[in-house]
Each structure stands twice: as C-alpha cells, then as structure tokens.
Amino acid sequence: MMNIEKLLSCYNPATGEIPGAPVLKRHLSDLKGCFAVVEAYDQVLTQSNPLLYSVSAVEPAGGEGDLHYGVGMIMPGKIGDEYFMTKGHLHSWRPAAEFYFGLTGDGVMLLEDEATGESRMVELRPNGAVYVPGRTAHRTMNVGRTPLTYFGVYPAKAGHDYAAIAKNNFRCVIIERHGKPELVERKTLTPAARHP
Ligand code: S6P
Ligand code: ZN
C-alpha cells in the first residue's frame, strides 16, 4: 500500500493549487500559433505577456492501470474575440480518455475527433463533468469574467502530444459573438469576419 501522502492530496478549488505538487504556468508567449487572429495576438504581446493558465499535477504512480490528475486555472481575458485558452493536445497514447470536472467559473471545451475533424463545444461549469473520449483533441477556454478552475483525471500513460496541434491547429475556433461563445470554422474567419 502507498504511504498516506500519496493516497490523499488537497486542492484549492479557487486557485487550483495543490500543496507539494509541481505547477506549470503558461503565458501568452507560450501560445504562439494558437490564436486565430495573429495581429491581435502580436499586438497584446508587444505590450504585455499575461499569465493565461496554470496546471498543478499529481502523479501518484505510473503503472499500467494508474491514474494522474491535474487542477487547472485559466484566467479571464480575450485576444481579439478569442477567449484565453489552453494550448490543447491529443494524448500521446491515443486511446486514453479523460474526465474534466468544473470547479469554479464559466468555461467551455473544444473537442475534435482526430479521425474525422468533427468538433463540439461543451460547457465546463461547476457540478458538470465533461467526458473527453480517446483520440480526441481537447482545448479549454475561460468564457467568463472570473478565473476558471477545473479538475482533470487521465490515465498515467496518456501523455501529451502537442505536435499535431502545433502543425494543424484545431479545425474550429471558439469566439465571442453577441456576448456568447460560438463555435466557428477557422477557415470562415476572413479578415472582415474577424473584426465585425
Ligand atoms: C491532461 C489534461 C490537463 C491539461 C491542462 C492544460 O491530459 O488534459 O491537465 O494538461 O488542461 O492544457 P494543455 O493543453 O496546455 O496541456
Ligand atoms: Zn488531456
């Protein structure tokens, strides 16, 4: 049996912090190529490099049937009409699914089937659980005005594959239209449509 430190960890749902767990922080400069409107991205970056999100990860064991979890916090904000978001990834071990549980704030997840490109926007809210199937790229956005925190549980051997996203990005983009998040195809974002 594992020792008690590995069996129990306590997370702060307001900040996403987990005492003793490593924290990964990503700033705007770490998300080059993620936002659809490059001019808006570059313009903000010339003035500041805000923290977009942080993730604290707990990895009690790395065996075949083990699980890991991460608690993420995404700050509120936008680049043009696009919300602050995560880089997004596929799992290196493609069959690995994942559960996300909303803790605080208002979020959405963009899910994209790797084989078909089929995309869905799913709400991530307190008391809501989002199932991310295997072979599905996932990216999370804060669509509210307060920090979004969430809890994600995934197989220990899932891993992160960022390369596929860096190459092709997601097929769709989630932007704010009339005060609400909307899923649109990236290719429809002509310069005119980008700045209504
Ligand atoms: C891991 C899980 C999350 C993300 C986190 C940050 O499988 O999906 O813990 O790592 O939401 O996203 P990203 O795309 O920067 O890893
Ligand atoms: Zn994941």
Side-chain angles (χ1 to χ4, degrees):
M1 179 69 94
M2 288 176 180
N3 56 32
I4 193 73
E5 291 77 28
K6 288 208 166 185
L7 294 173
L8 174 68
S9 58
C10 294
Y11 60 92
N12 182 332
T15 64
E17 289 165 332
I18 306 171
V23 186
L24 172 76
K25 289 180 191 281
R26 291 214 211 267
H27 294 80
L28 187 62
S29 58
D30 298 313
L31 271 79
K32 194 165 173 54
C34 294
F35 290 92
V37 182
V38 178
E39 300 87 330
Y41 175 84
D42 288 343
Q43 196 191 350
V44 175
L45 200 54
T46 55
Q47 287 160 15
S48 64
N49 186 19
L51 174 71
L52 297 196
Y53 63 99
S54 62
V55 186
S56 302
V58 175
E59 304 182 348
E64 183 77 3
D66 285 310
L67 297 172
H68 288 173
Y69 76 82
V71 180
M73 178 179 66
I74 308 179
M75 304 309 289
K78 285 191 297 173
I79 300 297
D81 294 329
E82 266 186 291
Y83 304 96
F84 281 8
M85 63 187 180
T86 60
K87 281 180 89 159
H89 61 271
L90 283 151
H91 292 144
S92 309
W93 182 50
R94 291 291 197 270
E98 180 166 6
F99 260 118
Y100 273 68
F101 304 97
L103 299 175
T104 67
D106 294 322
V108 297
M109 293 190 74
L110 172 58
L111 307 181
E112 180 179 312
D113 183 299
E114 185 181 23
T116 63
E118 196 183 351
S119 301
R120 292 263 191 283
M121 179 173 73
V122 186
E123 287 186 358
L124 180 64
R125 297 252 152 87
N127 304 326
V130 177
Y131 183 61
V132 180
R135 306 176 198 285
T136 303
H138 43 293
R139 169 176 274 172
T140 309
M141 289 99 191
N142 182 346
V143 301
R145 293 169 189 271
T146 57
L148 170 78
T149 61
Y150 58 92
F151 192 112
V153 188
Y154 45 97
K157 67 176 195 176
H160 293 81
D161 177 359
Y162 295 107
I165 303 299
K167 190 161 169 259
N168 300 321
N169 213 329
F170 283 70
R171 193 170 65 79
C172 290
V173 176
I174 294 174
I175 56 171
E176 185 176 274
R177 276 202 181 148
H178 311 298
K180 284 193 195 153
E182 195 174 300
L183 182 74
V184 296
E185 288 210 29
R186 185 177 299 275
K187 67 182 182 197
T188 65
L189 288 180
T190 59
R194 290 183 321 205
H195 301 289

